[in-house]
Every structure is written in C-alpha cells, then in structure tokens.
Amino acid sequence: QVQLVESGGGLVQTGSSLRLSCAASGSSLSFNDMGWYRQAPGKQRELVATISKGGNTNYADSVRGRFTISRDNAKNTVYLQMNSLKPEDTAAYYCNANGNGFLYGRVYWGRGTQVTVSS
C-alpha cells in the first residue's frame, strides 16, 4: 500500500522559511506529477505547486518567486521550500502524487502538515 507522509510544517513568523518534505513509502514505486496543495479554514483546497517526473514545474501565482518545488525520484520524495512566508500562507499543506507504471491512474494524498505564519 502506498502512503505519502509529509513533514516540516510548523509555526513561524512572517518572512521566515520552511521546507516541507513528502516521502512515499513502498517498493518499486514510480510517479508522474507530484505536487503540493493547501487548504485554509473555510476555503477550498488549492494548488500550490506541481513538478513533473522530468522536473517541469508549475506554481500558483500567489507563491511564484517565493516557493520552490523539487523532487528526488530515487527517493520518491517531493519537497517544497517556502521563503518569505506570509500570514496568508497559513494552511494545511497536502502532498499529492500521480502513479506511474503499475500505479498508473492512481492518485495519492498525504494526510497534511500544518503551516502557520504569524504576523
């Protein structure tokens, strides 16, 4: 069974940085696009950033230039480096992965990690 486990969230001040990690457990795994989404209280889940297996990236306008997504295919891990954090970045951050190979067509989500930015 494939599981995605996020880590790295926390409570920080405006202007600080955090690095989120998401590792997929299991053997012989392969993923196409991986990404990060976030959901603030009372709001819908929104895309933060995605990265293809080949390294092509896509960002929400609200985080472009401040956040950087990266991945290590050998470790089946995706990262989100968040700089210049703002209070509006406060949300639960969820990792997402789209299966490849024998996992093709399956979509996986982590349980989320909380990021809180104080003003």
Side-chain angles (χ1 to χ4, degrees), residues 36-77:
W36 290 94
Y37 290 72
R38 67 186 181 187
Q39 187 167 18
K43 294 187 177 181
Q44 290 188 332
R45 190 172 296 188
E46 63 177 6
L47 179 147
V48 176
T50 62
I51 184 168
S52 70
K53 189 173 184 178
N56 293 319
T57 58
N58 179 49
Y59 294 94
D61 289 342
S62 59
V63 307
R64 188 175 290 112
R66 298 188 298 122
F67 291 9
T68 302
I69 189 170
S70 60
R71 65 188 284 175
D72 184 331
N73 290 330
K75 296 181 179 179
N76 286 312
T77 300

Side-chain angles (χ1 to χ4, degrees), residues 32 98-101 103-107:
N32 287 322
N98 295 273
N100 191 27
L103 299 176
Y104 185 79
R106 299 187 181 185
V107 180

